[in-house]
Amino acid sequence: MLAENEDDLQKLVNIVKEESEKCGLFINIRKTKTMVISREKVVPQIDIKIDGEQVEHVEQVANFTYLGHWITEDGRSDQEVKRRIGMAKNTFSRMSKLLTNRRISFATRSRLTKCYVWSIFLHGFETWTLNASLERNIEALEMWLYCRMARISWKEKKKNKEVLEEIGLKHTELLKTVKTRQLAYYGHIRRHQNLQKSIMEGKINGKRQRGRKRKSWLNNIEETTTRGINECCEVALDREEWRHTIASNHWQEMEQR
């Protein structure tokens, strides 16, 4: 349940409680948690009550997992991306005997890695807001996987380009996959009238805080397409033209870097 302030959230909880009890469902206080998404260094505390009684067993958490996605009170994607990187590495380590077996062709092991390791990392990635640091982390993860699959030690001090040439690849693919699918997701949202579109295009009242402006998810779309967001909004309405945008020369430029 989402609300702009404590009073609205309390009203929403009361409505859900009343309507649920009509169907024989009851709110489990011990499993109920609250979280305030805020840019303030000191996050305000809230007091939500059920039946007029303070929810004593509900702790106000700084983060929690929702549908497998790590949500934090600062609204950033950093912790979720790093968490997914750790999960992908753990999965690879558990399957290392298979994925580093040289009796199996590298192409086959690469397909297995994409199936079992990449899929772990890419869960919920369409909503990530990426900055330069996170992009480097994603590329580092892919190179980490390749080095272990090819049994290349960090002590050899080989450059990424040399590693890719040794395994028969021209460029990395993981970050490209993330950005390509984010564009496809943006186009899907833009062409439909739903809650996701309202959230994506909605504006927050008030003034922006002092300091450098935080990068948004729409900024990622602009950077990937090298177009303004207004132009992206128009182009995305045409499915075929948006598909052409996703497969445009921008990706070829990335591959040549």
Side-chain angles (χ1 to χ4, degrees):
M1 292 176 281
L2 301 175
E4 293 185 2
N5 53 60
E6 183 177 347
D7 292 337
D8 289 345
L9 181 58
Q10 182 65 70
K11 294 177 182 178
L12 186 58
V13 170
N14 294 339
I15 294 173
V16 171
K17 175 184 177 298
E18 293 174 4
E19 296 301 321
S20 298
E21 290 181 350
K22 293 179 182 179
C23 302
L25 301 175
F26 299 90
I27 296 178
N28 189 329
I29 298 178
R30 295 181 180 275
K31 294 183 178 180
T32 304
K33 297 184 184 299
T34 60
M35 185 176 75
V36 176
I37 298 178
S38 173
R39 292 177 296 184
E40 302 294 337
K41 293 183 179 180
V42 179
V43 179
Q45 298 294 311
I46 60 175
D47 178 20
I48 302 300
K49 300 180 179 179
I50 297 179
D51 282 336
E53 177 183 354
Q54 182 178 351
V55 185
E56 297 178 355
H57 301 287
V58 173
E59 58 178 325
Q60 183 170 325
V61 296
N63 49 63
F64 71 98
T65 303
Y66 178 70
L67 298 179
H69 190 84
W70 194 248
I71 300 177
T72 58
E73 62 186 3
D74 61 3
R76 299 179 184 270
S77 302
D78 301 53
Q79 292 188 31
E80 169 64 7
V81 175
K82 294 176 181 178
R83 172 173 168 263
R84 284 287 158 186
I85 289 175
M87 294 173 66
K89 288 184 176 182
N90 288 337
T91 302
F92 181 89
S93 298
R94 291 197 300 268
M95 301 180 63
S96 60
K97 290 185 179 179
L98 173 65
L99 299 177
T100 60
N101 190 339
R102 293 183 176 178
R103 288 181 293 181
I104 303 175
S105 69
F106 188 88
T108 300
R109 286 184 282 137
S110 179
R111 293 177 63 183
L112 290 172
T113 301
K114 290 180 180 179
C115 178
Y116 294 104
V117 180
W118 282 29
S119 59
I120 295 294
F121 171 74
L122 293 174
H123 178 79
F125 70 97
E126 292 91 348
T127 61
W128 293 347
T129 299
L130 301 177
N131 52 36
S133 176
L134 293 179
E135 289 183 2
R136 289 193 296 268
N137 290 341
I138 293 174
E139 291 186 330
L141 168 65
E142 185 175 3
M143 295 307 304
W144 185 90
L145 296 172
Y146 288 152
C147 287
R148 276 151 184 78
M149 290 170 63
R151 296 189 177 183
I152 299 175
S153 173
W154 63 271
K155 296 181 181 180
E156 298 181 37
K157 297 183 178 180
K158 290 187 177 182
K159 296 182 179 180
N160 290 347
K161 186 177 180 180
E162 296 175 339
V163 174
L164 292 173
E165 290 176 352
E166 184 171 333
I167 62 179
L169 295 177
K170 295 182 180 180
H171 50 80
T172 55
E173 301 178 356
L174 186 55
L175 181 59
K176 174 183 174 181
T177 298
V178 171
K179 292 192 173 186
T180 300
R181 295 187 187 177
Q182 282 188 336
L183 290 183
Y185 183 58
Y186 171 79
H188 175 76
I189 294 176
R190 186 72 182 90
R191 291 189 295 271
H192 293 78
Q193 296 293 337
N194 50 29
L195 177 61
Q196 291 93 324
K197 183 178 180 180
S198 300
I199 294 173
M200 180 181 70
E201 298 181 345
K203 301 295 182 180
I204 299 176
N205 295 327
K207 296 182 179 180
R208 182 172 63 85
Q209 289 184 334
R210 295 178 62 183
R212 184 177 182 181
K213 183 179 179 181
R214 278 177 53 174
K215 179 176 287 188
S216 69
W217 188 77
L218 292 178
N219 291 146
N220 286 160
I221 301 299
E222 290 180 315
E223 291 178 357
T224 304
T225 59
T226 63
R227 296 181 176 183
I229 194 60
N230 292 332
E231 184 179 358
C232 290
C233 287
E234 295 299 324
V235 175
L237 294 176
D238 187 326
R239 186 189 302 270
E240 293 303 322
E241 187 174 355
W242 188 245
R243 286 178 177 175
H244 177 73
T245 299
I246 295 176
S248 66
N249 292 332
H250 175 68
W251 293 118
Q252 296 179 14
E253 294 174 2
M254 285 186 61
E255 295 170 0
Q256 294 172 359
R257 293 176 185 175

